[in-house]
Amino acid sequence: MRAIVRLARERANALIAEGKEVKFFCVGRKGYDQLRRQYARQIIAHIELRGVRVLAFQHAEDVADKILRLYQEGAFDICTLFFSRFKSVMVQLPTAQQIIPPVFDAASGNENGGALHEYEPDEEEILAELLPRNIAVQIFGALLENSASFFGAQMTAMDSATRNAGEMIRRQELTMNRTRQAMITKELIEIISGAEAL
């Protein structure tokens, strides 16, 4: 989580240095707590997911609805999503992804040779339905990636703690065995010394 907040801070500080206004919409408690210290006035919304056991698409739709409402009210003109992308149990990559306005891959341009298509209903109605859903899908993907990254980091930390605890137990057992052996040896020496004195 710290890496995500660090990435968001770096991006925010760069934008502020350019004279742009920065606003935060926080989802979850950890990022909000860390950003609140430095950017309390720039946080315009916060959604708490502490009581949520299983992330559902409805949670992403709620976040997307609030973001789109703020966008329509003119609260911002560019929205960038910061999350941790799951690469492996050991590696989670802090990621920034712009979702408003959408950024499309230039390589996936018009592959059908410029053919015209007719749409039913018209393009505006289709886009009015698909674009909000696309934002919700991207947010849901980010929430799932972030959750997987959290559990991966937690597994790594627990594995490391288990190994460290096992190593401590082995060291303590070795110390205990040496102490017990020293006491037994001392008692034997005392018995042998007493027997020789008789």
Side-chain angles (χ1 to χ4, degrees):
M1 178 55 75
R2 288 188 179 131
I4 303 168
V5 173
R6 188 179 320 117
L7 179 62
R9 278 187 182 135
E10 288 171 0
R11 184 73 60 92
N13 291 335
L15 290 170
I16 290 170
E18 294 174 8
K20 296 181 180 172
E21 186 180 359
V22 174
K23 297 178 182 177
F24 290 96
F25 184 111
C26 298
V27 177
R29 179 181 48 87
K30 292 180 183 177
Y32 172 73
D33 288 343
Q34 292 180 36
L35 289 171
R36 181 177 59 176
R37 296 181 195 127
Q38 187 175 355
Y39 302 103
R41 284 179 282 137
Q42 284 94 345
I43 296 175
I44 58 172
H46 173 228
I47 292 181
E48 183 63 60
L49 296 176
R50 188 181 310 184
V52 176
R53 290 204 177 270
V54 178
L55 287 170
F57 187 68
Q58 181 61 45
H59 299 113
E61 281 184 322
D62 293 342
V63 174
D65 289 343
K66 290 180 181 174
I67 289 173
L68 288 170
R69 193 173 339 107
L70 288 168
Y71 179 69
Q72 289 166 354
E73 292 170 0
F76 61 87
D77 56 352
I78 295 176
C79 179
T80 304
L81 192 61
F82 292 92
F83 62 97
S84 183
R85 186 177 302 280
F86 180 81
K87 187 168 182 182
S88 71
V89 174
M90 297 290 288
V91 179
Q92 298 86 33
L93 304 172
T95 305
Q97 177 181 343
Q98 183 176 317
I99 58 173
I100 297 176
V103 176
F104 299 105
D105 185 12
S108 64
N110 194 358
E111 297 172 1
N112 57 9
L116 296 175
H117 297 281
E118 289 188 23
Y119 297 97
E120 183 66 36
D122 65 351
E123 294 176 9
E124 285 83 18
E125 287 184 55
I126 293 172
L127 288 175
E129 177 67 29
L130 288 181
L131 288 178
R133 186 166 297 264
N134 179 21
I135 290 171
V137 166
Q138 290 184 64
I139 290 170
F140 187 52
L143 288 172
L144 293 178
E145 289 272 354
N146 217 41
S147 182
S149 297
F150 169 75
F151 288 123
Q154 197 174 45
M155 281 177 56
T156 303
M158 291 304 291
D159 185 49
S160 178
T162 302
R163 257 183 306 184
N164 290 341
E167 186 60 36
M168 284 177 63
I169 290 169
R170 279 192 292 277
R171 281 199 306 264
Q172 293 298 327
E173 283 179 351
L174 187 60
T175 303
M176 183 187 72
N177 288 340
R178 285 180 178 163
T179 305
R180 189 181 66 193
Q181 189 64 41
M183 289 174 63
I184 292 170
T185 304
K186 182 181 173 188
E187 289 175 6
L188 285 174
I189 290 172
E190 289 173 358
I191 292 171
I192 292 170
S193 299
E196 286 179 0
L198 293 174

